[in-house]
Amino acid sequence: MHKLIFATNNKNKVLEVRSILGNRFSILSLKEAGINITIPEPHDTLQDNAAEKAQTIFNLTGTNCFSEDTGLEVASLNNLPGVLSARYAGNNSTDEQNIAKLLHNLTGKDRRARFRTVICLIWDSKKYFFEGVCEGSIASTPFGNSGFGYDPIFIPNGGNDRTFAQMTIEEKSQFSHRKKATNKLIQFLLQYGQNKA
Ligand code: IMP
């Protein structure tokens, strides 16, 4: 089976990607690969941050790996929080603080938003990028207890006015940015990775 390190410490992201990949690939989280580091995200674009995370792990392990970076982009806020999504309310801010700041800044503004995920795969020392977008809108107040991050305030288009946090992982995956990017990764691996892992 293909073995790949997923360069993340986020358990929810690992769960989501595993539920999409099924048993076609064996995904190791950083912890499972015995790597205990926090990789910085210093860049202005999701693509550059994803590349930095994958390259860091590739340099450490020499193993095929991938990473992803995701941002919530709100058009009426000039696409913020975007690449700053994890630290929108300040360094080390909690999900609750980020959500509170976003809801405050959105008062009286257009609430359309999208999640965008960029995956960087390092395969045979080369980098490949895959993007997934989920269009939706920001709820007036948080709803639901599932998921993570901004899930309680993000309502995907076509999701019957439910937030991601009101959905199971499988339901979220029907719409999600991460699922779309991961599907492109799978297509690549199935096409080019057959005999190489
Ligand atoms: P990063 O990709 O780990 O840098 O995530 C950036 C920020 O977006 C963090 O605050 C995450 O919690 C949040 N985030 C990433 N993916 C999702 C998602 O699928 N749903 C909700 N929030 C997310």
Side-chain angles (χ1 to χ4, degrees):
M1 200 193 301
H2 295 282
K3 237 187 214 171
L4 276 171
I5 298 178
F6 183 6
T8 185
N9 290 310
N10 183 321
K11 283 187 215 140
N12 288 289
K13 287 185 179 180
V14 176
L15 282 178
E16 283 187 17
V17 167
R18 279 208 182 113
S19 93
I20 296 162
L21 290 173
N23 55 12
R24 280 172 288 193
F25 301 92
S26 164
I27 299 298
L28 296 179
S29 66
L30 285 181
K31 196 171 170 201
E32 288 160 346
I35 300 165
N36 181 15
I37 53 170
T38 303
I39 309 168
E41 299 180 353
H43 301 290
D44 292 341
T45 64
L46 299 175
Q47 174 153 340
D48 286 348
N49 280 334
E52 169 106 17
K53 290 189 259 190
Q55 189 69 55
T56 302
I57 298 309
F58 185 74
N59 291 347
L60 274 175
T61 64
T63 303
N64 290 333
C65 62
F66 68 97
S67 70
E68 66 100 89
D69 202 31
T70 294
L72 176 61
E73 300 176 339
V74 182
S76 63
L77 298 178
N78 291 325
N79 283 335
L80 285 173
V83 79
L84 298 176
S85 292
R87 50 185 192 281
Y88 188 46
N91 286 337
N92 304 318
S93 50
T94 62
D95 290 340
E96 289 72 23
Q97 289 167 331
N98 290 332
I99 285 175
K101 177 168 178 181
L102 184 59
L103 290 178
H104 176 76
N105 287 351
L106 262 183
T107 309
K109 297 213 164 113
D110 187 298
R111 306 186 82 84
R112 276 174 292 183
R114 64 181 199 165
F115 268 117
R116 196 157 64 85
T117 289
V118 176
I119 290 176
C120 175
L121 169 72
I122 300 191
W123 188 266
D124 284 349
S125 309
K126 282 200 213 94
K127 286 197 186 81
Y128 301 89
F129 292 93
F130 310 96
E131 184 179 283
V133 170
C134 175
E135 303 283 350
S137 60
I138 303 298
S140 54
T141 181
F143 291 103
N145 301 308
S146 314
F148 67 103
Y150 295 89
D151 280 346
I153 56 165
F154 187 80
I155 302 172
N157 290 347
N160 284 335
D161 281 336
R162 287 172 307 156
T163 67
F164 271 158
Q166 293 175 293
M167 300 180 180
T168 62
I169 282 192
E170 289 75 21
E171 286 171 323
K172 177 178 173 184
S173 283
Q174 286 172 25
F175 305 96
S176 101
H177 42 297
R178 191 162 296 105
K179 161 89 171 194
K180 288 171 187 157
T182 306
N183 276 350
K184 292 179 188 171
L185 170 71
I186 293 174
Q187 287 316 310
F188 175 92
L189 291 173
L190 291 177
Q191 225 175 328
Y192 299 101
Q194 280 306 336
N195 303 309
K196 293 208 169 176

